Amino acid sequence: EIVLTQSPGTLSLSPGERATLSCRASQSVKNNYLAWYQQKPDQAPRLLFYGASSRATGTPVRFSGSGSGTDFTLTISRLEPEDFAVYYCQQYGDTPTTFGQGTRLEIK
Amino acid sequence: EVQLVESGGALVQPGGSLRLSCAASGFVFNSYAMSWVRQPPGKGLEWVAGIPDSAANTYYADSVKGRFIISRDDSENTLFLQMNSLRAEDTAIYYCAKEVGKIGVPLFDYWGQGTPVTVSS
């Protein structure tokens, strides 16, 4: 199965700063079927991006997704207080679908 | 508005069984594949099982194959997960998740709020 490794494990930043989250796959992700989810405490995950760079409904424009093959990035251009959460990447091009271990974005 | 409401989570002894339910509304349930995804306390997400719109086949993670059974009742817009031979490592929040299509693309656009399962003596 494809292993997704997210880095860093924890990212400490201040509101207004730029955040860059990485997701690296152990092998190429078919069709760039890579998604990003946001999860806040005691909430279910929320889909942010699919197909590496396609914004899901409701995803603010300060978020962007990029990458292909084995290296993918989620960028938040200017952090808002509500953006501090845990972010997961998921590959859905291969069976079984797998998730990264998550990056915790915390307020500095 | 799409809603997924899980129920059935509980404290159960190792070796025991449990049946989870997920009541769906706000979309044409029988037109979409569905999955269960779990999250152990303080840990990440793990896909558990999936079922296409037709229910012709079912799919499982290796960690639960032979112990869990996913099913659906389209007349009641409900998804189920029968969990047998439970182990401590099955302890998690179990989420019901709607897939974006009928089969083969496990991308999850809606999630329930989850139901907790604790396996302990």
Side-chain angles (χ1 to χ4, degrees):
Chain A
E1 69 179 43
I2 294 179
V3 176
L4 299 179
T5 302
Q6 293 186 240
S7 61
T10 301
L11 186 56
S12 300
L13 294 170
S14 301
E17 291 193 292
R18 180 184 185 90
T20 303
L21 287 66
S22 173
C23 176
R24 178 163 289 179
S26 60
Q27 56 188 277
S28 186
V29 176
K30 202 174 301 180
N31 299 321
N32 289 329
Y33 278 179
L34 192 286
W36 289 95
Y37 297 86
Q38 177 193 64
Q39 187 178 33
K40 296 181 179 180
D42 298 319
Q43 293 188 18
R46 170 195 166 197
L47 178 65
L48 295 177
F49 286 90
Y50 59 95
S53 59
S54 296
R55 202 174 273 108
T57 303
T59 302
V61 295
R62 63 181 178 276
F63 288 81
S64 62
S66 63
S68 64
T70 60
D71 289 300
F72 299 88
T73 301
L74 175 69
T75 303
I76 311 171
S77 59
R78 283 180 58 87
L79 285 165
E80 297 287 341
E82 62 266 29
D83 299 337
F84 293 91
V86 179
Y87 292 83
Y88 294 96
C89 58
Q90 176 215 5
Q91 68 78 22
Y92 55 98
D94 211 21
T95 300
T97 182
T98 50
F99 293 88
Q101 84 280 14
T103 289
R104 179 178 305 276
L105 179 55
E106 63 176 27
I107 299 177
K108 187 173 183 180
Chain B
E1 179 193 3
V2 171
Q3 284 200 317
L4 299 169
V5 181
E6 302 94 335
S7 60
L11 170 63
V12 61
Q13 292 190 339
S17 297
L18 211 53
R19 189 193 200 204
L20 307 183
S21 300
C22 170
S25 61
F27 65 103
V28 182
F29 183 72
N30 62 11
S31 292
Y32 293 92
M34 300 291 294
S35 275
W36 289 95
V37 178
R38 68 185 180 184
Q39 185 169 35
K43 296 191 176 180
L45 301 165
E46 179 190 20
W47 172 80
V48 172
I51 187 167
D53 62 323
S54 64
N57 291 294
T58 53
Y59 305 90
Y60 299 94
D62 286 346
S63 58
V64 306
K65 201 172 293 182
R67 299 187 299 124
F68 290 11
I69 300 171
I70 187 172
S71 62
R72 62 191 298 159
D73 182 342
D74 289 346
S75 67
E76 295 290 333
N77 291 347
T78 303
L79 178 71
F80 301 101
L81 185 67
Q82 178 66 43
M83 309 164 67
N84 301 321
S85 303
L86 282 161
R87 306 167 180 168
E89 54 264 35
D90 295 318
T91 295
I93 300 290
Y94 283 74
Y95 294 102
C96 163
K98 172 186 169 294
E99 299 187 19
V100 299
K102 294 178 178 291
I103 185 174
V105 182
L107 174 65
F108 310 117
D109 56 356
Y110 289 95
W111 299 62
Q113 284 305 298
T115 188
V117 172
T118 302
V119 184
S120 175
S121 54

